[in-house]
Amino acid sequence: MVIKPMVRSNICINAHPVGCAKDTQRQIDYALSKKAARGVKSAKEGGKAPKTALVLGCSTGYGLASRIAAAFEYGADTIGVSFEKEASEKKAGTPGFYNNLAFDREAQKAGLKSFTFNMDAFSDECREAVIEKAKEWGVKFDLIVYSLASPVRTDPDTKVLYRSVIKAVGQEYKGASLDMMSGKLTGEMVAPIAEGADILNTIKVMGGEDWERWIDALKGADLIDENCKSVAYSYIGPKLSHPIYRDGTIGLAKKDLEAHARSISKKLAENGGAAWISVNKGLITRSSAVIPIIALYLGCLFKVMKEKGNHEGCIEQMERLFSERLYTADGVVPTDNEGRIRIDDWELLPDVQAKVDELMAKVNEGNVADVIDLAGIQKDFLNINGFAVDGVDYEKDVERMDVID
């Protein structure tokens, strides 16, 4: 069959197996090129690099890019965890299912050990499976990446199911809505005020409780190596988005994540390690596409940063995180005054934000395609699900949905 993207309200509901694999390969190729350009040496070669990495939320976005950087630039063996819908011969899987297949295939070709668990990373059963695999390999983790993105989490102790929400706190938030595929401004999108247990539920899903539970489980199993580094990801963004992001339910969960980072860092410090929050650049993701104002803002941001020559996608961000923050020549991890790693630094440059503000003020229904990088955000949005990937023949029949060739 010929597979075309099925998009509804800024959500793509299908995936292209060949396109997903091709985009994963693109990121691998980038990591390999930077390895050569920077002269990166693996730990086995005497370099400052992770030996064995655990990536929680390994299948898409920053998690996938982290695993690629750790493996293909820094030579680490990796265990990944993600919860994906598996494909059958006739039915498609989720994009992450295909990304994981591509990663494991290429890791094997490169002589790197890898294993991917298709499990709920919030569950203790998953923790037990990872612990068993690490013991089977005879390894300890010296890098733990926490990059889970899920709308729900079941507490392993109480069995209560929590659902996160994207809501404002204190007062309703309104922002322009952009239909990315049509390029139309569809009026104001409203984020209601959080009520009842909304804040608690969102913190339970997106905060740091589960991250610390992972650290405790691995520490209890004696699977955390000396000088272990652990990192989780967050976003701050511009002031215009703070009411819905930094100061909304999502932002409160991220502040909880930061609090747990400090607690985790103290535990890892017992063996010379540390934990950080990395504040990353804004990118088109499944979630950002449906948050008020964010898609329009990112269209303006991409336009400005591409003109300046400092635009980055997931793999570029994670490669810079590893090479210029986590694994520096002198071993020092640069942070802000709150102990956070900042690779959103180029996004928040004053001249970048000033130009973005100019574009945001003049964009309207008639000039969207000219003022913002509409083509760029459309491509990024489609690439997430394996569409509009360079080098893929989308007119070619896909005979099986459970393979990536």
Side-chain angles (χ1 to χ4, degrees):
M1 71 185 81
V2 173
I3 306 171
K4 301 294 183 181
M6 299 170 63
V7 180
R8 306 286 186 273
S9 302
N10 280 359
I11 298 173
C12 187
I13 60 176
N14 64 338
H16 197 290
V18 178
C20 289
K22 187 76 171 180
D23 195 59
T24 299
Q25 184 64 56
R26 174 190 64 81
Q27 296 184 66
I28 291 171
D29 290 344
Y30 179 84
L32 291 171
S33 72
K34 297 301 287 188
K35 175 180 176 67
R38 294 185 187 270
V40 172
K41 294 182 178 180
S42 69
K44 294 177 182 177
E45 298 167 326
K48 293 183 178 179
K51 299 185 293 293
T52 308
L54 172 63
V55 183
L56 303 166
C58 68
S59 60
T60 60
Y62 281 128
L64 174 62
S66 300
R67 194 180 187 189
I68 288 171
F72 292 95
E73 185 170 1
Y74 284 82
D77 295 329
T78 64
I79 292 177
V81 178
S82 65
F83 201 20
E84 305 298 330
K85 175 187 173 185
E86 297 186 0
S88 64
E89 182 177 347
K90 298 298 182 183
K91 291 187 178 180
T94 49
F97 170 78
Y98 300 118
N99 296 340
N100 288 338
L101 285 182
F103 177 92
D104 285 333
R105 180 182 68 182
E106 295 307 311
Q108 183 178 15
K109 287 181 182 178
L112 298 167
K113 291 178 72 173
S114 72
F115 192 89
T116 304
F117 287 97
N118 187 15
M119 297 182 72
D120 177 5
F122 293 134
S123 71
D124 283 344
E125 291 78 11
C126 183
R127 276 177 266 272
E128 291 167 3
V130 168
I131 288 169
E132 182 179 345
K133 178 59 67 173
K135 288 182 176 180
E136 177 188 315
W137 280 10
V139 300
K140 296 183 180 184
F141 297 110
D142 57 357
L143 174 63
I144 301 165
V145 175
Y146 191 84
S147 184
L148 296 182
S150 170
V152 298
R153 170 178 174 246
T154 298
D155 186 295
D157 294 325
T158 65
K159 307 306 178 186
V160 173
L161 176 67
Y162 295 96
R163 295 184 182 276
S164 64
V165 296
I166 301 172
K167 291 187 177 182
V169 175
Q171 62 181 5
E172 187 177 79
Y173 179 75
K174 298 179 180 179
S177 175
L178 172 70
D179 184 314
M180 287 188 295
M181 297 314 296
S182 69
K184 293 182 178 180
L185 297 176
T186 56
E188 286 188 326
M189 183 185 294
V190 178
I193 301 172
E195 56 186 13
D198 284 342
I199 294 174
L200 171 63
N201 289 346
T202 305
I203 290 173
K204 278 286 190 178
V205 177
M206 302 179 67
E209 182 180 280
D210 183 72
W211 181 21
E212 188 152 2
R213 194 179 183 100
W214 268 100
I215 299 299
D216 289 342
L218 295 171
K219 192 174 178 67
D222 192 27
L223 289 177
I224 292 183
D225 208 349
E226 292 183 357
N227 305 313
C228 177
K229 301 176 187 291
S230 188
V231 62
Y233 300 135
S234 187
Y235 181 66
I236 291 177
K239 289 182 179 179
L240 70 90
S241 70
H242 283 189
I244 185 58
Y245 201 96
R246 188 63 182 169
D247 299 326
T249 54
I250 302 174
L252 293 178
K254 294 299 186 180
K255 289 173 184 176
D256 180 79
L257 193 70
E258 292 176 19
H260 279 274
R262 293 187 286 271
S263 174
I264 292 168
S265 202
K266 290 178 182 178
K267 294 177 179 180
L268 295 180
E270 295 172 8
N271 292 318
W276 297 271
I277 296 296
S278 175
V279 183
N280 302 343
K281 172 181 177 288
L283 295 173
I284 293 293
T285 65
R286 290 180 181 180
S287 58
S288 68
V290 295
I291 300 175
I293 209 70
I294 295 298
L296 187 60
Y297 163 75
L298 291 175
C300 295
L301 178 69
F302 288 14
K303 180 90 166 183
V304 173
M305 295 189 75
K306 286 179 180 180
E307 289 176 352
K308 287 181 64 67
N310 63 0
H311 174 71
E312 295 173 309
C314 285
I315 189 59
E316 292 84 4
Q317 278 265 288
M318 293 300 95
E319 193 282 329
R320 188 157 67 95
L321 169 66
F322 277 58
S323 61
E324 299 182 12
R325 302 295 192 272
L326 292 177
Y327 298 100
T328 56
D330 60 7
V332 175
V333 178
T335 64
D336 65 12
N337 57 12
E338 295 187 39
R340 300 171 301 203
I341 296 171
R342 302 299 295 267
I343 52 170
D344 62 342
D345 48 351
W346 296 350
E347 173 182 354
L348 296 184
L349 287 170
D351 62 330
V352 169
Q353 287 299 309
K355 183 62 177 177
V356 169
D357 288 344
E358 287 181 23
L359 298 183
M360 291 287 289
K362 71 179 184 181
V363 66
N364 58 50
E365 183 74 35
N367 64 14
V368 172
D370 296 321
V371 172
I372 77 171
D373 182 21
L374 182 61
I377 63 173
Q378 286 174 341
K379 180 173 173 56
D380 284 4
F381 172 71
L382 291 170
N383 282 176
I384 293 170
N385 286 54
F387 296 103
V389 176
D390 295 340
V392 177
D393 181 0
Y394 288 99
E395 299 304 319
K396 184 177 179 180
D397 281 343
V398 176
E399 296 182 2
R400 294 181 63 105
M401 296 301 296
D402 55 350
V403 295
I404 54 176
D405 294 317

